[in-house]
Amino acid sequence: MKSCIKNLFLAVLFLLLYSELLALEPSERPRNVIVMIGDGMGVAHITAGRTFKGKLELENFKHMGLLLTHIPGEKYVGESAGGASAISCGVKTYYGIAVHPDGTAAESVMEVAQAAGKGTGVIVTCSITDATPAAFVAHVKSRKMEFEIAEQIATSKMDLLLGGGWGWFLPESKGGRRKDGKDLIGEMESGGFTFVKDEEAFRQLKAQPQRKILFLFAENHVGNAQSRRPSLKEKTAFALSMFEKGKNGFVLMIEGSQIDWAAHDNNSDQILLEMADFDDAVGVAIDFVKRNPETLLIVAADHETGGYALNDGSLENKTVVGKFTTAGHTGSMVPIFAMGVGADAFTGIYDNTMVGKKLLEMLKGKRGK
Ligand SMILES: [Zn+2]
């Protein structure tokens, strides 16, 4: 009997020590996580943005790395659904939204944050049903399943959704695209969301941030950098002021969605504008980290778009001579920048799925086994 008790004691001691080894130090566990994704943003896009702006907010980062975006055995060149799923869930997909290879749902940073009582939000400059935001909120086999993505967004536990795409949520009878007659915005309002669809209403809400907000500013995608109001910077400031008041911290994803589109269009001038708009929003996030040092801020890209290169330019005139090798994506590595709690974990060259894996570990407070 005595040796039995002794064995039990040793077993409990071993388990305690083992779990202690797996636990992350408090200094590696961020209370808040801000993930910013420049869609299609390679090193040339950043250089072009710097030439245009003179100096970038991105230059404040001390921890940087490079991400591999290939899909081994399947594709050399990736796309946004896979790139975003790697960051949101640590899984490798091509066209799949936050799913394992067998199609089952992969746990996302948003779901782990929600289970821990944290606020969660997504801000984009495209439709909220597009690939990158979807990878943080939904689980479907293909990024093309935007009606299903809208349904999953409507029943998700998100607190803030800000972008375009109300057409995917409303029936044709209310000016939307849905043929199933569902009014998902009505359902979300019944569930406690405040729905806002124009700039004026956004400005009125700004003074009194509140939980559960659905801002959808366009029927589908939001306008380009020179036409969209509020700017990505203003939307970011609103979200951070709302979440700053939360009890348990938050996870927020912010995407500069149209850097990718400008590169698909081989429109170098538009890349400058989209990069400047995105970098302004990065500046707001950096200011937040300075005020709230228990935050981790990551800025990354999902893949490179355009095979963009700067063949010439003028620092004095703030112009570049941009050339493209493709109207699609490329397999070049893309940069990642990190600041705040746990930032040093993101340096080096590694597969993009490691970003999601590291974020999940940090949010759970445990190292992966
Ligand atoms: Zn693209």
Side-chain angles (χ1 to χ4, degrees):
M1 184 65 189
K2 240 184 188 173
S3 72
C4 189
I5 289 171
K6 192 180 157 197
N7 283 344
L8 189 68
F9 173 76
L10 284 172
V12 169
L13 190 68
F14 175 77
L15 274 176
L16 280 172
L17 280 172
Y18 186 64
S19 60
E20 195 61 28
L21 282 174
L22 284 175
L24 292 178
E25 296 288 329
S27 61
E28 298 171 300
R29 297 191 60 186
R31 170 184 158 84
N32 313 310
V33 176
I34 306 169
V35 176
M36 303 190 70
I37 298 177
D39 200 304
M41 182 182 74
V43 173
H45 305 67
I46 296 170
T47 314
R50 185 181 188 276
T51 305
F52 180 62
K53 275 187 90 179
K55 186 163 172 51
L56 292 177
E57 300 288 351
L58 280 172
E59 292 170 55
N60 288 297
F61 286 81
K62 300 277 187 286
H63 295 92
M64 282 158 267
L66 290 168
L67 303 179
L68 297 160
T69 61
H70 314 297
I71 300 105
E74 201 173 344
K75 296 274 181 188
Y76 188 81
V77 177
E79 48 72 63
S80 292
S85 297
I87 294 171
S88 66
C89 307
V91 295
K92 197 57 101 176
T93 73
Y94 187 80
Y95 260 67
I97 295 287
V99 287
H100 293 293
D102 65 359
T104 56
E107 183 180 50
S108 78
V109 290
M110 294 302 180
E111 286 151 357
V112 172
Q114 287 155 3
K118 294 183 187 296
T120 49
V122 163
I123 306 175
V124 293
T125 56
C126 57
S127 169
I128 201 86
T129 55
D130 206 51
T132 307
F136 285 80
V137 189
H139 306 275
V140 288
K141 279 183 188 162
S142 167
R143 59 185 285 174
K144 291 188 174 164
M145 299 165 70
E146 288 186 72
F147 289 113
E148 287 84 353
I149 291 167
E151 282 192 59
Q152 291 190 26
I153 288 172
T155 54
S156 72
K157 293 181 179 148
M158 300 297 290
D159 301 297
L160 174 80
L161 297 152
L162 210 167
W166 53 258
W168 300 97
F169 292 77
L170 290 178
E172 289 178 327
S173 61
K174 291 193 173 180
R177 302 175 176 218
R178 300 195 72 91
K179 296 192 191 308
D180 58 12
K182 288 182 183 169
D183 176 359
L184 299 177
I185 289 176
E187 288 175 22
M188 290 176 81
E189 285 179 309
S190 307
F193 271 93
T194 301
F195 175 53
V196 175
K197 68 186 276 196
D198 60 55
E199 185 186 353
E200 199 186 323
F202 172 81
R203 306 257 175 234
Q204 284 169 4
L205 266 180
K206 208 171 179 184
Q208 287 181 315
Q210 52 189 283
R211 300 297 293 268
K212 295 277 179 201
I213 293 173
L214 175 68
F215 293 120
L216 297 178
F217 290 92
E219 191 276 324
N220 191 21
H221 297 307
V222 183
N224 60 16
Q226 51 274 49
S227 69
R228 58 179 172 256
R229 300 286 179 277
S231 65
L232 189 60
K233 179 181 175 178
E234 290 174 286
K235 292 169 194 164
T236 301
F238 177 90
L240 291 175
S241 69
M242 176 179 135
F243 283 126
E244 197 166 10
K245 298 178 172 80
K247 261 203 314 203
N248 300 316
F250 64 88
V251 176
L252 175 65
M253 193 285 286
I254 303 156
E255 185 196 33
S257 320
Q258 298 193 26
I259 300 166
D260 175 64
W261 301 358
H264 278 296
D265 290 344
N266 287 182
N267 184 340
S268 185
D269 291 344
Q270 189 62 30
I271 289 177
L272 302 184
L273 298 173
E274 296 296 343
M275 274 305 306
D277 179 69
F278 181 64
D279 189 65
D280 285 347
V282 171
V284 174
I286 290 172
D287 288 345
F288 182 89
V289 178
K290 287 179 181 161
R291 289 201 310 278
N292 300 276
E294 66 282 30
T295 306
L296 168 65
L297 167 62
I298 281 176
V299 183
D302 46 359
H303 55 75
E304 196 273 352
T305 306
Y308 186 42
L310 305 175
N311 289 14
D312 202 354
S314 164
L315 293 173
E316 294 71 31
N317 298 328
K318 301 181 183 299
T319 55
V320 297
V321 179
K323 299 286 182 189
F324 300 85
T325 62
T326 175
H329 302 161
T330 72
S332 295
M333 290 189 275
V334 288
I336 179 166
F337 303 79
M339 179 183 287
V341 179
D344 54 354
F346 294 91
T347 57
I349 297 179
Y350 50 95
D351 191 72
N352 58 0
T353 52
M354 288 307 296
V355 181
K357 286 175 184 161
K358 285 169 198 270
L359 290 176
L360 287 168
E361 281 175 20
M362 287 177 172
L363 286 165
K364 290 176 179 176
K366 299 258 189 213
R367 282 180 214 286
K369 287 173 206 169

